[in-house]
Amino acid sequence: MTAPLERCSAWQRLVAQAAAPPPTMEALFAAESERFQRHSLALDDVLVDVSRHPVAEQTWTDLFQLASERDLSGAIERLFTGAIVNESEGRAALHTALREPPELAAQGAGIEVATAVQQQLERMASLVERLRSGQLHGYDGRPLQDVVNIGIGGSECGVTMAYEALAATVEQPLRLHTVAAVDGRELSAVWQQIDPATTLFVVASKSFTTQETLTNARTAWQWLEQAAGRPVPEQFVGVSADEQAMADFGIPEAQRLQIWDWVGGRYSLPSAVGFPVAATLGMAPFCELLRGMHAMDRHFRESPWANNIPVRLGLLGLWEFSLGGACGHAVLPYHPGLRRFPAYLQQLDMESLGKSVTQSGEAVTVPSGAILWGEVGGNAQHSFFQWLHQGTGRVIVELLAPVDEAECPEAHRGLTLANALGQAEALARGQRPDPAAPAAAHRHYTGNRPVTLVLFRRLDPYTLGQLIALHEHRVFVQAHLWGINPFDQWGVELGKQLAKGLVPLVRGEAALDTSSDPATRGVLTWVRAGMGE
Ligand code: F6P
């Protein structure tokens, strides 16, 4: 048993340091000529620079000490070797096994898991091959050429994000459409863009009980049946941990892909949930994505704290959110392909860390998981950067930018990186105009805002895999230090249950009586009375 956070001696020293005014960026760089070298870490072509976090050397020493006192290495080993790290659901969290080369299985989750993973990958590869070589046909005999993913949350976010990030990097991607919302509007919009006879539908749901996904899947099934004049099971692939539910839905055995209870939804992109990405972009890019993830897994498992990128970022999260007064994490990719990356990280981070109790059910006594949001960096500069630079709130600002712009028109080259670097400098250094100058108070920038800069050569599958795994492990580190279970999500259940019960009332099929919530009753009474009429 490791000591809880508050009883660690390193934590007590950190609390004392946080009570003092933070060191200024000028003072930190003046005191350490090697500060950038010591606090910028590279893995392959990814460079993560945390030198612009206002964290003194002694604080770093105590943060590393805290990681050791909390037995972070033991926790990492338990994660990789399949221990029950998700205690409230009694499950392992073996997403790292999904990208582990088979020959390393003995050091990871074990042979049984590795064999199951390989079997599913082979199954996936064979379906992908048949689809991409034109051997999968629709009901009128033409080859399938559009893919529609029907899924939500972890069964959608990663797929959309990866496709948007990588479609431009491969030749002749098939078209991917994703449908998540329950209202049917998204589905109708997709229906306008596809030919039913040449479309493959992927129904992705770990539980195969999710209302949104099953409602959309049934509608798609009926539409296809109507268009073909007969049921068309051969145009459906299923991805789920519930084989029987896929069978009951009507998905043919050869088109059912399996995931397992030890793959969390928001960690499931490298499993068969990633099938639509492999199907539309090809198996080779998908395998590169897995290779990039595995490179980050190894780095995380093997590197000492000072060189360990996810550990460094996790420690900074703890320092800023628990002790530094930060309330959020802005993710700002300077690459339009990463448009959906903040939304992807939002689920990963906030569904994992948005908890007020520890694994053992005790109250979390320090501020923990924060708000994560973001936008493409250039767009955000003309929107909410004002708040980042001069607002009274404090957030970790993460800027991600590619260095290689060979594919960009010449007149555009260098502008992106210059903007990312300029913003990093402004946030960290600030500006103190002469008090006598006009509007001096308005042109004053406090600086000292915590900045993480992530540079990479280019956005390719390997790099994207590294970036995803980096954040998965960063979240794991924060969760472990706070004692939180990052792999359950009990907080999403209540609203879903209430919504189910409300359907007959909203549809006007049941009477509004006094047993219903007074505010809900008020709203529905207003709706039933014709609203503004
Ligand atoms: O409601 C939240 C959630 O359970 C997520 O954790 C999950 O990724 C999503 O719903 C979809 O679940 P499923 O894959 O079981 O349909």
Side-chain angles (χ1 to χ4, degrees):
M1 274 287 277
T2 54
L5 196 60
E6 290 89 337
R7 283 211 240 114
C8 295
S9 60
W11 172 257
Q12 285 149 19
R13 291 194 297 280
L14 288 165
V15 170
Q17 283 157 37
T24 66
M25 209 51 73
E26 284 97 330
L28 288 168
F29 275 95
E32 301 164 58
S33 56
E34 302 275 280
R35 184 169 175 83
F36 171 76
Q37 287 75 2
R38 287 168 64 83
H39 298 294
S40 58
L41 313 171
L43 177 64
D44 300 324
D45 281 336
V46 175
L47 179 85
V48 178
D49 170 20
V50 294
S51 66
R52 287 189 177 106
H53 279 256
V55 177
E57 276 311 294
Q58 184 57 48
T59 304
W60 272 121
T61 306
D62 287 325
L63 286 169
F64 296 147
Q65 179 64 36
L66 182 69
S68 301
E69 276 188 71
R70 292 281 295 136
D71 190 23
L72 180 59
S73 359
I76 294 173
E77 276 316 287
R78 287 197 295 281
L79 175 75
F80 277 78
T81 52
I84 304 295
V85 289
N86 175 355
E87 291 178 24
S88 72
E89 295 181 310
R91 292 174 185 170
L94 272 171
H95 40 284
T96 51
L98 298 166
R99 54 257 191 161
E100 199 165 51
E103 64 277 10
L104 293 185
Q107 299 161 34
I111 300 299
E112 223 172 274
V113 166
T115 309
V117 167
Q118 282 313 308
Q119 273 171 358
Q120 287 307 309
L121 262 178
E122 280 159 27
R123 227 172 140 79
M124 229 171 112
S126 131
L127 263 179
V128 168
E129 166 59 22
R130 285 170 51 220
L131 174 69
R132 295 180 64 80
S133 62
Q135 294 170 57
L136 285 188
H137 299 126
Y139 57 80
D140 69 0
R142 282 180 292 154
L144 300 179
Q145 51 192 21
D146 276 57
V147 176
V148 177
N149 186 70
I150 299 178
I152 198 163
S155 299
E156 182 271 331
C157 289
V159 168
T160 311
M161 182 275 290
Y163 182 82
E164 286 203 5
L166 302 175
T169 70
V170 303
E171 276 173 31
Q172 297 181 325
L174 300 187
R175 287 200 305 170
L176 177 68
H177 315 261
T178 54
V179 175
V182 75
D183 60 12
R185 293 183 181 98
E186 263 178 355
L187 201 51
S188 305
V190 166
W191 211 243
Q192 305 303 316
Q193 299 164 35
I194 57 173
D195 181 338
T198 56
T199 300
L200 180 68
F201 288 87
V202 181
V203 184
S205 174
K206 177 178 170 182
S207 59
F208 228 79
T209 59
T210 303
Q211 183 196 54
E212 292 88 339
T213 303
L214 289 189
T215 307
N216 283 324
R218 285 190 205 105
T219 303
W221 183 280
Q222 284 158 12
W223 272 346
L224 215 51
E225 183 171 345
Q226 228 167 28
R230 63 163 177 89
V232 200
E234 65 273 22
Q235 281 181 240
F236 280 82
V237 165
V239 180
S240 181
D242 190 337
E243 174 85 26
Q244 189 55 48
M246 288 192 279
D248 294 346
F249 183 84
I251 294 177
E253 201 276 333
Q255 296 187 190
R256 292 180 219 146
L257 296 171
Q258 201 196 352
I259 57 171
W260 307 269
D261 70 352
W262 44 260
V263 183
R266 54 196 174 273
Y267 299 86
S268 66
L269 178 64
S271 72
V273 166
F275 169 74
V277 177
T280 50
L281 305 185
M283 203 61 199
F286 186 73
C287 290
E288 273 299 287
L289 184 88
L290 301 188
R291 225 169 54 78
M293 289 180 142
H294 177 67
M296 187 56 76
D297 294 344
R298 284 191 77 154
H299 166 85
F300 177 52
R301 195 175 179 189
E302 293 168 7
S303 307
W305 301 151
N307 300 336
N308 195 313
I309 305 174
V311 170
R312 286 279 205 131
L313 295 188
L315 288 169
L316 285 170
L318 170 101
W319 171 250
E320 278 297 341
F321 302 136
S322 295
L323 294 168
C327 60
H329 179 170
V331 177
L332 304 155
Y334 280 77
H335 192 305
L338 287 175
R339 192 178 299 278
R340 291 274 302 181
F341 196 54
Y344 174 77
L345 292 187
Q346 220 156 45
Q347 188 199 14
L348 173 64
D349 188 300
M350 293 171 77
E351 212 174 52
S352 299
L353 297 173
K355 323 271 162 79
S356 302
V357 294
T358 62
Q359 285 263 19
S360 53
E362 323 262 302
V364 176
T365 53
V366 295
S368 55
I371 294 166
L372 186 150
W373 90 106
E375 171 60 278
V376 170
N379 302 358
Q381 282 180 206
H382 298 275
S383 157
F384 58 80
F385 263 59
Q386 167 64 37
W387 188 90
L388 298 182
H389 286 293
Q390 291 189 318
T392 50
R394 180 179 178 82
V395 296
I396 293 180
V397 178
E398 180 172 333
L399 309 160
L400 302 103
V403 174
D404 184 341
E405 295 189 308
E407 84 262 26
C408 303
E410 204 169 332
H412 296 242
R413 289 188 202 148
L415 301 183
T416 297
L417 188 53
N419 269 286
L421 291 173
Q423 295 297 335
E425 277 188 30
L427 286 158
R429 279 221 310 253
Q431 168 176 277
R432 282 153 216 80
D434 177 350
H442 300 281
R443 292 190 294 110
H444 179 263
Y445 293 65
T446 56
N448 252 39
R449 299 187 182 239
V451 179
T452 304
L453 185 68
V454 181
L455 295 187
F456 49 91
R457 186 183 294 280
R458 69 179 71 87
L459 186 56
D460 55 24
Y462 184 85
T463 304
L464 184 66
Q466 288 181 308
L467 296 178
I468 295 169
L470 164 58
H471 278 281
E472 287 176 352
H473 298 320
R474 190 258 309 155
V475 164
F476 179 78
V477 171
Q478 284 172 228
H480 177 72
L481 295 172
W482 285 320
I484 283 173
N485 178 357
F487 301 116
D488 62 10
Q489 57 283 321
W490 296 100
V492 302
E493 294 305 326
L494 178 59
K496 284 189 209 173
Q497 270 169 30
L498 292 172
K500 238 183 223 167
L502 285 170
V503 172
L505 288 179
V506 173
R507 287 184 171 165
E509 294 162 2
L512 279 173
D513 57 33
T514 49
S515 65
S516 48
D517 175 272
T520 304
R521 199 166 65 240
V523 166
L524 292 178
T525 306
W526 180 74
V527 172
R528 287 184 183 191
M531 304 173 69
E533 275 170 16

